[in-house]
Amino acid sequence: MRIPLLAGLVLVMTLTACGRLRESRINPFNWFGRGERVQTTDIAAPAKRQDGRQLVANVTSLVIDRTKGGAIIRAVGLPPTQGFWAAELVPIEGSDAESGELVYEFLIFPPPKPQQVSTQRSREITVAAFLPDSRLNEIARITVRGTATSQSARR
């Protein structure tokens, strides 16, 4: 009678501890929090790129989802009008594991002709990039830059 009672007690104690594990640093699903808005003040006027892409005006959200073998970095950008296309997160040269911060630029192609402004929801563009565990282990902070605002998430 003692062994089943003891096993049941251990099981109950273990299950109640799982609720606290959600906020723990041990849990890999919360290594990176939600993105926080950062004002972009240190970026000079965006340089013209050869391919015609430009930085998105505002980065409105940043979410880093842990997956098997790495993480998916998902950002939502808000351009000034509709019609922007072919979004991509491009890592900036020089931002790597040495500094512990990885910085991406949210690049998009502008519309070929002037477009309407319309609602915010109709202008939002979502883009994602995969980061393998081999690089993720060395990174403590991930930032996605836009022209006016950026989003940043840290461990």
Side-chain angles (χ1 to χ4, degrees), residues 65-82:
D65 296 321
R66 293 285 297 173
T67 62
K68 185 176 181 178
I72 296 174
I73 303 163
R74 186 171 27 109
V76 177
L78 187 65
T81 65
Q82 291 181 335

Side-chain angles (χ1 to χ4, degrees), residues 58-69:
N58 294 303
V59 179
T60 58
S61 74
L62 171 65
V63 178
I64 301 171
D65 296 321
R66 293 285 297 173
T67 62
K68 185 176 181 178

Side-chain angles (χ1 to χ4, degrees), residues 36-115:
E36 58 188 34
R37 188 175 194 159
V38 179
Q39 286 295 347
T40 307
T41 56
D42 61 341
I43 297 178
K48 255 325 197 190
R49 291 175 176 73
Q50 288 181 343
D51 61 3
R53 293 185 296 180
Q54 59 188 25
L55 284 173
V56 71
N58 294 303
V59 179
T60 58
S61 74
L62 171 65
V63 178
I64 301 171
D65 296 321
R66 293 285 297 173
T67 62
K68 185 176 181 178
I72 296 174
I73 303 163
R74 186 171 27 109
V76 177
L78 187 65
T81 65
Q82 291 181 335
F84 284 81
W85 56 285
E88 183 180 12
L89 289 176
V90 178
I92 294 178
E93 296 295 326
S95 69
D96 55 10
E98 291 175 8
S99 64
E101 181 177 13
L102 183 60
V103 181
Y104 285 93
E105 287 185 328
F106 192 130
L107 297 177
I108 52 177
F109 280 103
K113 58 183 179 178
Q115 298 287 321

